[in-house]
Amino acid sequence: MIQRIQSLYLALAAILSTVSLFSVVGKFVSGGAEAAHFTNFTISADPAQFTTVNDSGPWALGALLIIVVLLNVATIFMFNHRMHQLRLTIFSTILLVGYILVYAFFAWLFQGKLQSAAPDAGIHFQLCASAVYPIVCLILNIMAIHGIRKDERLVRSLDRIR
């Protein structure tokens, strides 16, 4: 189970997704000071400057990452059913692409909201290190898909020899 390289890729992807789930994934900066921080569940702005911008809209990001973590963990234990493992890994990869797109949308949306609340503040978005983890997980999932397909080809070639 764990001696297969794709299981290692999937475990690492699950760990990185979990770390990203509970981390700050972006900051909105105004004049060198943090105006708001962006997690996978909320946007928290400084209440002194932005009274109307605090929002719990990004909960969808957290939900997507929770599903990705659960799929990756479940997929690790499906080592006897390679085709199911392959399908779930592909589905997890699609969810990660969706996460990245929704993340970019929310960053753009809330930057616009913050700029409209304080037009003279000069707010810009700054990525945190944990925002890159879903991209790394996407790469790890693709590598796991390649490993699963390689195993499946090997097993099928051995079945032909018998």
Side-chain angles (χ1 to χ4, degrees):
M1 172 179 74
I2 202 69
Q3 64 268 24
R4 295 172 55 215
I5 192 71
Q6 58 266 27
S7 296
L8 193 61
Y9 293 149
L10 291 169
L12 191 56
I15 291 168
L16 287 176
S17 296
T18 304
V19 169
S20 180
L21 183 65
F22 297 110
S23 301
V24 174
V25 292
K27 295 178 183 176
F28 294 96
V29 180
S30 172
E34 182 179 333
H37 67 274
F38 181 24
T39 66
N40 285 309
F41 296 102
T42 61
I43 299 274
S44 298
D46 182 17
Q49 291 179 332
F50 309 99
T51 56
T52 60
V53 179
N54 291 337
D55 199 352
S56 62
W59 63 267
L61 290 172
L64 281 173
L65 270 185
I66 288 171
I67 293 169
V68 166
V69 168
L70 293 176
L71 279 175
N72 283 343
V73 170
T75 304
I76 291 170
F77 297 106
M78 297 184 74
F79 57 91
N80 286 334
H81 308 284
R82 282 174 300 283
M83 293 314 291
H84 292 299
Q85 189 180 35
L86 180 67
R87 288 184 190 114
L88 285 179
T89 307
I90 290 172
F91 184 62
S92 174
T93 304
I94 292 169
L95 286 178
L96 279 169
V97 169
Y99 171 86
I100 293 167
L101 293 174
V102 171
Y103 174 82
F105 173 73
F106 277 126
W108 172 78
L109 178 72
F110 288 111
Q111 182 174 0
K113 280 187 177 181
L114 288 170
Q115 283 179 345
S116 66
D120 58 338
I123 295 172
H124 66 278
F125 184 70
Q126 183 179 11
L127 285 175
C128 292
S130 59
V132 180
Y133 293 163
I135 297 170
V136 174
C137 292
L138 181 69
I139 294 168
L140 288 169
N141 274 0
I142 291 170
M143 291 168 60
I145 289 169
H146 178 71
I148 296 167
R149 284 185 178 153
K150 187 176 172 182
D151 276 359
E152 183 63 22
R153 277 182 290 199
L154 178 66
V155 168
R156 286 187 186 206
S157 71
L158 291 175
D159 284 345
R160 277 191 303 240
I161 293 174
R162 289 186 208 174

